Amino acid sequence: MMNPTDDQKNMLYFVILIFGVMFAWQYFFDVPQTPTIQTTEQQSTVTPSLPSELATLEAIPQIKSRTEALAVTPRLKIKTARLKGSINLKGARIDDLMLLDYREGTQPDSPHIVLFSPEHTADPYGARFGWVAGSESIKVPDANSIWSADVSKITDNNQAATLTWDNGAGVQFVQEVSVDANYLFSVKQKVINKTSVPLKLLSYGRITRIGTPKTAGYMVLHEGPIGFIDDHLEEYDYGDLTDKKEMRFKGQGGWIGFTDKYWLSAFIPDQQQNFEFFFQGQTAGQLNHYVAGYYGQLKEIAPGEAMEVTHNLFSGAKVLDILDAYEEKLGVHHFDKAVDFGWFYIITKPLFYVLDYTYRWVGNFGVAILILTVLLKLLFFPLANKSYRSMGKMKQLQPKMEKLKERYADDKMKLNQELMAFYKKEKVNPMAGCLPMIIQIPVFFALYKVLFVSIEMRHAPFFGWIHDLSAPDPTTFFNLFGVIPWDPPSFLMIGAWPIIMGATMLIQQKLNPAPADPIQAKMFLLMPIMFTVMLAQFPVGLVIYWSWSNVLSIGQQWVMMRSVKKAS
């Protein structure tokens, strides 16, 4: 049987291993792959190809201001309580969208978050709906077609805009565009066949993103191409698109688009129809072009008849309540998975609901984190008590165990036999303190995910100097927390809250039985320092959670060890 110091060492290695496995799994393996993918070379479908928009864009677009770029083309304005932007009537492209509820910084006058941007700006990004003809003889609208609109503005009070384009050969194309009070565009596409011959057409939607966007840089968070198709979550990096050029998936309903940490643009087509979804990646000049979209089914329109299809586009913030509402309203499966809740989804989402409910009750996200931590401590109170009782008893028995080690220092087998007899006699289990901690690890990682990906924590203030719980602590020890007028480099930004967390870890460590091995003792002593430096770059909301959790654990452990000491 292992001795207590071996148990402590193995527990340390186990916790480090768990961290490594979780991060490695998220980074390398948590990307569901399905056999429905078809690369361009393997493609066997007879679906007509989408018209390439790359030919309409310069290899290196001329960088202009948004104002200049928006003034180049005719536009239909968009103004709702949460959105401001416009639709480019050249191509009927939604390429100008600003999120009015969110700003780039915490200052009241900070610029609003820009989601979509037109061509020739720094980061062109937008979506459009269109048609592909089953015969080359049918002229369909493309990225250069100029549409006419019956109104000058779209609002969220059920006012729809009707866009029309005529191909001059007896076929009229109509788009009725509306937007709700949140982030959902509904587009009813209609084709009127005024010719004497039947037409074959299919509808499509495409979201185009030019240039590789900056990501949060954390390997436990997915940012990039995403979709939920045929009951599979599809997640890829931008590099996957440029490597494979094209990936296709088939399924009934579903959704597809691009996700950032907090923002999402995704098509939600008719959930009762079958579609072929796709990701594309191409390079023009020095820029990468990324496309996500879908094809509808090829349908025939008889002479004198019309055909209609209605599809949706979500463009906005990944607020879970809103995603859930659309999931129910549109019958779309797992739209909530646009929020990267990770491996422990079944635990993470309920934890988020508890945190969000608490936040709405107290009005401060930081306070909600403190309350949630208390609730989790109460949930695991019996397990933690068992662990601390075992630790307390082991600490009381440590002098006797040290004598056994000295007596049988040269006979490991005999030492283990004596320790087993000693444990049996004293009615202690050296592993009893470890198992309750292991059971809590999935909950810890689930809570870590909640705090890391929740848009509700973005720019949420706490108290004092903390104005954004989603950002690292802005103070640093190396300029005495602002007393010295010097801005240290980022790797020296070790703020007050990370230091508080490190101090609580050190205090908690002192309450545990001390390792007999001097090398092992130094390793344990270094752990608070390592975690302080590492977590200094993490969102301060996580650091506050960990610090408060440590404080509660210290209090519970101290009380339990005192009771063990009195009982002995």
Side-chain angles (χ1 to χ4, degrees):
M1 182 177 237
M2 295 181 295
N3 61 55
T5 55
D6 288 334
D7 293 332
Q8 290 176 328
K9 180 171 65 176
N10 289 336
M11 184 58 193
L12 170 63
Y13 292 157
F14 178 79
V15 171
I16 294 173
L17 176 63
I18 287 291
F19 269 92
V21 168
M22 294 297 180
F23 279 82
W25 182 274
Q26 291 274 354
Y27 187 67
F28 293 108
F29 302 110
D30 199 15
V31 181
Q33 306 289 330
T34 71
T36 57
I37 297 174
Q38 294 178 314
T39 63
T40 303
E41 294 77 11
Q42 298 170 327
Q43 182 181 340
S44 60
T45 179
V46 295
T47 302
S49 298
L50 286 180
S52 174
E53 291 187 359
L54 297 185
T56 69
L57 303 174
E58 299 173 15
I60 305 177
Q62 180 183 354
I63 304 300
K64 300 179 180 180
S65 69
R66 284 183 62 81
T67 303
E68 291 175 319
L70 293 172
V72 172
T73 55
R75 294 198 165 261
L76 170 64
K77 292 182 180 179
I78 301 168
K79 182 63 172 74
T80 72
R82 290 188 163 178
L83 297 173
K84 181 182 179 181
S86 60
I87 297 176
N88 187 351
L89 294 178
K90 180 183 178 182
R93 179 178 169 86
I94 306 172
D95 63 356
D96 169 31
L97 212 55
M98 188 180 294
L99 308 183
L100 299 180
D101 289 342
Y102 302 95
R103 296 181 181 272
E104 293 180 7
T106 56
Q107 299 78 11
D109 59 347
S110 179
H112 290 289
I113 291 293
V114 172
L115 185 60
F116 284 169
S117 293
E119 295 172 10
H120 308 304
T121 55
D123 302 294
Y125 187 13
R128 77 182 185 92
F129 298 83
W131 295 92
V132 176
S135 169
E136 293 182 1
S137 62
I138 306 171
K139 186 179 180 182
V140 296
D142 59 22
N144 292 314
S145 301
I146 305 297
W147 294 66
S148 61
D150 66 338
V151 295
S152 61
K153 182 189 292 186
I154 299 177
T155 65
D156 55 356
N157 60 354
N158 298 320
Q159 179 184 0
T162 301
L163 311 183
T164 57
W165 182 84
D166 197 299
N167 74 349
V171 184
Q172 188 178 51
F173 296 84
V174 179
Q175 290 190 15
E176 291 183 13
V177 185
S178 62
V179 61
D180 70 1
N182 293 311
Y183 306 112
L184 191 73
F185 289 85
S186 294
V187 179
K188 181 191 291 185
Q189 296 173 270
K190 185 177 182 180
V191 180
I192 304 170
N193 181 8
K194 299 177 182 179
T195 71
S196 59
V197 297
L199 307 177
K200 288 186 177 180
L201 295 167
L202 62 81
S203 63
Y204 75 84
R206 65 187 301 159
I207 300 171
T208 304
R209 196 164 197 173
I210 301 176
T212 306
K214 293 181 180 179
T215 60
Y218 300 101
M219 62 184 180
V220 295
L221 172 70
H222 173 70
E223 295 181 80
I226 188 171
F228 193 85
I229 305 155
D230 195 27
D231 289 329
H232 290 89
L233 181 65
E234 306 290 348
E235 294 178 324
Y236 298 92
D237 295 328
Y238 288 103
D240 295 330
L241 268 60
T242 54
D243 291 342
K244 296 182 180 180
K245 304 304 181 186
E246 186 173 55
M247 293 176 279
R248 296 193 180 189
F249 319 81
K250 291 183 178 180
Q252 179 179 326
W255 54 272
I256 192 168
F258 294 103
T259 182
D260 300 315
K261 182 176 181 180
Y262 296 122
W263 328 117
L264 173 72
S265 60
F267 286 120
I268 311 172
D270 186 340
Q271 297 299 295
Q272 304 305 313
Q273 302 294 321
N274 291 320
F275 295 92
E276 185 166 6
F277 298 88
F278 63 88
F279 292 120
Q280 293 175 341
Q282 301 182 49
T283 302
Q286 299 177 1
L287 293 175
N288 291 322
H289 296 240
Y290 307 101
V291 181
Y294 66 89
Y295 299 96
Q297 294 176 305
L298 194 64
K299 295 183 178 180
E300 184 173 292
I301 311 172
E305 298 294 328
M307 177 178 67
E308 289 184 359
V309 295
T310 301
H311 303 305
N312 302 287
L313 170 70
F314 177 94
S315 298
K318 295 192 295 187
V319 179
L320 189 59
D321 284 349
I322 294 176
L323 298 179
D324 283 341
Y326 287 140
E327 184 172 326
E328 182 177 352
K329 176 183 177 181
L330 302 175
V332 57
H333 292 171
H334 284 298
F335 198 41
D336 62 330
K337 288 198 172 182
V339 180
D340 187 2
F341 280 137
W343 203 14
F344 295 112
Y345 170 88
I346 194 171
I347 304 174
T348 308
K349 190 173 179 181
L351 272 179
F352 169 82
Y353 280 129
V354 174
L355 183 64
D356 188 51
Y357 176 81
T358 307
Y359 162 70
R360 296 181 187 188
W361 178 48
V362 299
N364 185 295
F365 207 92
V367 174
I369 292 172
L370 302 182
I371 294 173
L372 178 61
T373 309
V374 172
L375 293 176
L376 289 175
K377 286 293 181 183
L378 291 174
L379 177 66
F380 289 106
F381 187 84
L383 285 174
N385 263 3
K386 185 176 181 181
S387 175
Y388 297 147
R389 185 179 291 109
S390 176
M391 288 182 184
K393 197 160 187 180
M394 291 295 293
K395 193 168 186 178
Q396 291 290 105
L397 297 174
Q398 198 165 14
K400 296 180 180 179
M401 289 188 288
E402 290 301 322
K403 291 181 179 179
L404 287 175
K405 291 174 190 175
E406 292 174 6
R407 186 181 306 171
Y408 302 104
D410 299 326
D411 192 343
K412 294 293 182 182
M413 184 176 295
K414 182 64 175 176
L415 174 61
N416 284 336
Q417 291 175 349
E418 291 296 324
L419 284 173
M420 286 175 64
F422 179 75
Y423 296 148
K424 187 176 181 180
K425 177 184 175 183
E426 298 292 338
K427 297 180 181 180
V428 295
N429 181 355
M431 292 301 295
C434 301
L435 292 176
M437 294 175 63
I438 295 172
I439 294 171
Q440 296 178 60
I441 287 175
V443 176
F444 163 77
F445 276 99
L447 183 59
Y448 160 79
K449 265 289 191 179
V450 168
L451 299 180
F452 191 75
V453 305
S454 298
I455 191 172
E456 288 78 3
M457 194 167 72
R458 181 182 185 270
H459 293 176
F462 185 45
F463 297 115
W465 64 95
I466 303 301
H467 305 295
D468 183 0
L469 287 165
S470 68
D473 189 321
T475 61
T476 176
F477 170 79
F478 290 95
N479 65 6
L480 297 182
F481 309 108
V483 174
I484 301 174
W486 174 58
D487 293 327
S490 59
F491 68 91
L492 292 180
M493 294 297 292
I494 301 176
W497 271 107
I499 291 174
I500 292 171
M501 186 215 66
T504 58
M505 283 189 69
L506 186 62
I507 294 171
Q508 191 175 18
Q509 203 177 82
K510 295 295 184 182
L511 293 175
N512 295 334
D517 185 353
I519 297 177
Q520 186 180 338
K522 290 179 180 178
M523 285 180 58
F524 271 82
L525 190 61
L526 284 174
M527 279 186 65
I529 299 173
M530 291 168 54
F531 274 81
T532 298
V533 174
M534 181 176 69
L535 290 179
Q537 306 306 315
F538 276 57
V540 69
L542 290 171
V543 182
I544 290 171
Y545 153 72
W546 202 320
S547 303
W548 178 232
S549 178
N550 286 347
V551 169
L552 295 176
S553 296
I554 289 168
Q556 185 180 358
Q557 190 170 352
W558 181 76
V559 171
M560 183 54 60
M561 287 188 167
R562 284 199 64 181
S563 66
V564 170
K565 188 174 181 180
K566 287 181 179 179
S568 61

